[in-house]
Amino acid sequence: MAALPPSLESRRAQMFPELTAAQIARLERHGKRMRTHAGEVLVEPGGIYRHLMVVLSGSIEVVRPGLSGEELVIVHTANHFAGEMSILRGASSVIRARVREEGEILAIEAEQLRAIVQTDAELSELFMRAFILRRVGLITVEQGDVILIGSRHSAGTLRVQQFLTRNSYPHVNVDIDSDANVQALIERFHLSIDEVPVVICRGRVLKNPANEELAACLGMNPQVDAARIHDVIVIGAGPAGLAAAVYAASEGLDVRVLETNAPGGQAGSSSRIENYLGFPTGISGQALAGRALVQAQKFGAVVSIASEALRLRCEPPLHTIELSDNTLVRGRSIIIATGAAYRTLSLENLSQFVGAGVYYAATQVEARLCKDEEVIVVGGGNSAGQAAVFLAGSCRQVHILVRSDGLADSMSRYLIRRIEESPNITLRTRTEISALAGNGSLERVTWRSESGEETRRIGHAFLMMGADPNTPWLADCVALDAKGFVKTGPDLGADDLTAARWPLRRAPHLLETSAPGIFAVGDVRCGSIKRVASAVGEGSVCVLLVHRVLSG
């Protein structure tokens, strides 16, 4: 049995619990007994983990394949079970399960497992906790047959790292600038240094793969019938979208979630959220999103990652979404939860430094790139404050740049106090970046303040100011305000409804757009409060309104 990381060793019993006779008896009616034979492979990496396997006799070994061979993860003996989060997600397995000693198992199909976790509180807690901890363990060890070869100076490498990390996918990072084994990998797969990032995906070599290509190779998404008409399609898996998915799926609706990048949205890029109800010690945006994603999938929501909505067709009574892979998704109702993106600086050469010194997120992935260095955070909202406090823990100096006179009007008081008490955070008011410079990656930043311009040798700038809604893909389907945010409910005037040819006698519901059956929640909505709790509230309330539309 492989050793666990110290952070998980104390939770071994929860990762690999032993089922009681009573629990197995309850599971019997959901599964089918099957004989097993030594050496029989039950699931392969990249294959679909179709069953939860309760060992009744004999044993099953779980191994993690890698370039140097297999590494043993665990041996499941009688009364233990083999399985992890991939079963509920309908996604590909990340491990190999093989029979070590012949015997008998109780095989429980995915749909039956979902019924168990929805109806049996005790087994639900046991299985869900084990699944989550097992995935955490696979990620923490950083071993496996998915390898990212890249450079800390490469924007493409950072993009792929962010995609894999925020989607909780186990992988190995190999840096061409510091890893001693990189030359052997380059020779083995006939690569060139200038081709990074390269992903070795179960034997396939992907050179600077797009997120869609990576998701397909890794089997991140379940297979879905193209002709299926969903009760509700949620576009965007930030806090608002995930809340809507959880509540809709838990109430029996057929839910499809489409996410362009990774769960969490803008909140998912936050290092720590400390004022969200129920988490007194704080929680990272990625962890919060990960838990919500598991909840949605527990109740049966189908989540598709790297599925970008390119156009929304308003064609009642059904609505059609055109995706980036040229497929169509149809639903009886739509919830737009595409959120907003941080604004960019008006600098001609900004784009050449995005991912190579300029970042729009502050997580462990980005923090590793600037450890012990001097950094800049631009913005005066909570996201900027959270980033500054987080980065101050590992960076030599953090400069917060704001154009206003201070932070009091835009940031929570607890963050302001944290910033004031941090010796290595400097707040620079009435200050903005005026120039960026560097060869390939950011090397120098010039900022302008009331006292003039100053240039510093700084290679990392985090931009977290303002927000622009992700609505260009909506075209003329729903009414938008002057800034591009979606108008809903009371914000829709008579002119908006006339222009949209509103066909119903009733007025639009609270979160409904100018198109019947299409709703908007969270940061993408006109007049929304830019807080995680508010977004979650809107997502959950919206489901009640969806029910009214579907039943009407």
Side-chain angles (χ1 to χ4, degrees):
M1 185 180 301
L4 293 173
S7 60
L8 292 175
E9 186 62 47
S10 63
R11 307 191 70 178
R12 181 183 288 273
Q14 294 177 319
M15 292 179 72
F16 308 112
E18 182 174 355
L19 297 170
T20 66
Q23 290 169 338
I24 292 177
R26 296 209 302 275
L27 291 171
E28 282 275 8
R29 64 188 180 91
H30 295 281
K32 178 181 179 181
R33 285 178 175 255
M34 299 174 58
R35 295 296 303 176
T36 59
H37 307 282
E40 179 184 358
V41 176
L42 302 173
V43 66
E44 282 279 15
I48 300 299
Y49 218 139
R50 300 189 184 280
H51 301 93
L52 176 83
M53 293 171 283
V54 179
V55 181
L56 301 177
S57 62
S59 62
I60 295 175
E61 60 183 6
V62 175
V63 298
R64 180 174 33 235
L67 292 181
S68 58
E70 293 181 344
E71 179 190 15
L72 180 64
V73 177
I74 188 72
V75 176
H76 294 295
T77 54
N79 302 329
H80 291 80
F81 60 90
E84 63 106 26
M85 194 61 69
S86 300
I87 303 177
L88 288 177
R89 289 182 175 175
S92 297
S93 172
V94 297
I95 53 85
R96 176 178 295 127
R98 183 171 54 221
V99 178
R100 173 175 281 204
E101 299 171 293
E102 68 175 37
E104 188 177 31
I105 63 172
L106 179 66
I108 300 173
E109 293 185 354
E111 282 306 309
Q112 287 298 309
L113 176 60
R114 186 167 287 112
I116 292 167
V117 298
Q118 291 179 22
T119 59
D120 191 314
E122 181 189 29
L123 289 173
S124 176
E125 181 178 357
L126 184 145
F127 286 138
M128 298 305 295
R129 183 167 54 201
F131 290 166
I132 292 170
L133 290 175
R134 289 177 185 184
R135 178 54 67 101
V136 170
L138 290 171
I139 294 170
T140 304
V141 172
E142 293 188 0
Q143 294 184 9
D145 61 345
V146 176
I147 300 171
L148 168 60
I149 304 173
S151 167
R152 68 192 306 269
H153 305 294
S154 160
T157 298
L158 179 60
R159 174 185 57 79
V160 175
Q161 278 183 330
Q162 290 172 332
F163 182 76
L164 292 172
T165 301
R166 291 188 60 183
N167 281 291
S168 301
Y169 203 92
H171 64 284
V172 181
N173 282 311
V174 177
D175 193 305
I176 61 173
D177 302 312
S178 59
D179 198 295
N181 300 318
V182 67
Q183 190 59 40
L185 286 173
I186 288 175
E187 293 175 358
R188 177 173 176 176
F189 292 100
H190 309 290
L191 303 174
S192 170
I193 294 294
D194 57 11
E195 291 178 315
V196 299
V198 173
V199 177
I200 311 300
C201 173
R202 304 196 172 104
R204 290 179 57 192
V205 178
L206 307 180
K207 299 177 181 179
N208 195 18
N211 291 350
E212 295 87 345
E213 182 183 6
L214 198 51
C217 182
L218 298 175
M220 285 185 170
N221 297 321
Q223 296 295 318
V224 184
D225 182 359
R228 182 169 166 182
I229 297 174
H230 304 275
D231 291 326
V232 56
I233 300 173
V234 180
I235 309 172
L242 288 173
V246 168
Y247 282 91
S250 68
E251 293 174 14
L253 296 180
D254 181 336
V255 181
R256 178 80 175 272
V257 181
L258 306 174
E259 169 55 43
T260 301
N261 186 26
Q266 197 176 83
S269 66
S270 177
S271 55
R272 183 154 297 270
I273 302 169
E274 294 191 57
N275 61 348
Y276 186 64
L277 187 68
F279 293 90
T281 60
I283 185 171
S284 72
Q286 182 180 339
L288 184 64
R291 295 184 184 194
L293 178 67
V294 169
Q295 278 182 295
Q297 292 170 326
K298 165 184 172 179
F299 290 117
V302 177
V303 181
S304 299
I305 301 297
S307 294
E308 182 180 5
L310 295 184
R311 181 171 176 258
L312 174 60
R313 299 181 190 171
C314 294
E315 302 169 341
L318 293 180
H319 305 286
T320 302
I321 300 167
E322 300 176 8
L323 301 182
S324 53
D325 62 358
N326 297 318
T327 60
L328 302 177
V329 181
R330 295 179 176 85
R332 298 167 61 203
S333 65
I334 303 289
I335 298 178
I336 301 168
T338 46
Y342 292 119
R343 294 189 184 122
T344 61
L345 296 172
S346 299
L347 300 173
E348 288 186 5
N349 63 345
L350 175 67
S351 60
Q352 76 181 69
F353 299 117
V354 173
V358 171
Y359 319 104
Y360 294 93
T363 68
Q364 292 289 352
V365 174
E366 294 81 17
R368 283 196 293 266
L369 301 176
C370 52
K371 180 178 172 59
D372 298 325
E373 296 187 32
E374 194 172 1
V375 304
I376 291 172
V377 175
V378 182
N382 275 10
S383 295
Q386 290 159 352
V389 171
F390 169 66
L391 294 168
S394 59
C395 295
R396 185 175 73 254
Q397 181 69 38
V398 178
H399 302 273
I400 301 178
L401 274 54
V402 295
R403 290 186 297 178
S404 62
D405 293 327
L407 302 173
D409 293 336
S410 54
M411 189 180 293
S412 295
R413 182 58 193 164
Y414 83 93
L415 281 171
I416 296 175
R417 291 184 61 187
R418 196 77 58 82
I419 289 167
E420 292 172 343
E421 294 170 5
S422 298
N424 60 336
I425 298 181
T426 301
L427 173 63
R428 300 181 180 277
T429 59
R430 295 182 177 272
T431 304
E432 57 185 322
I433 293 178
S434 56
L436 303 172
N439 182 18
S441 61
L442 184 64
E443 297 172 4
R444 295 179 302 281
V445 176
T446 301
W447 63 60
R448 182 188 302 114
S449 65
E450 292 178 316
S451 58
E453 286 195 330
E454 180 179 356
T455 300
R456 294 279 192 100
R457 292 194 64 83
I458 295 177
H460 307 278
F462 296 79
L463 308 185
M464 297 179 170
M465 66 283 189
D468 291 321
N470 293 317
T471 54
W473 63 281
L474 292 173
D476 298 321
C477 189
V478 299
L480 308 177
D481 72 3
K483 296 182 179 180
F485 291 90
V486 181
K487 288 186 174 183
T488 60
D491 290 318
L492 289 165
D495 292 344
D496 295 317
L497 298 180
T498 299
R501 298 180 180 178
W502 179 260
L504 306 177
R505 287 187 175 183
R506 67 167 176 84
H509 291 303
L510 178 64
L511 300 170
E512 195 171 18
T513 69
S514 58
I518 298 180
F519 300 82
V521 295
D523 289 0
V524 75
R525 189 180 67 82
C526 166
S528 67
I529 299 173
K530 306 300 187 284
R531 290 288 186 269
V532 174
S534 176
V536 170
E538 289 187 17
S540 58
V541 168
C542 188
V543 175
L544 172 64
L545 307 178
V546 167
H547 276 297
R548 291 180 183 174
V549 168
L550 295 181
S551 63

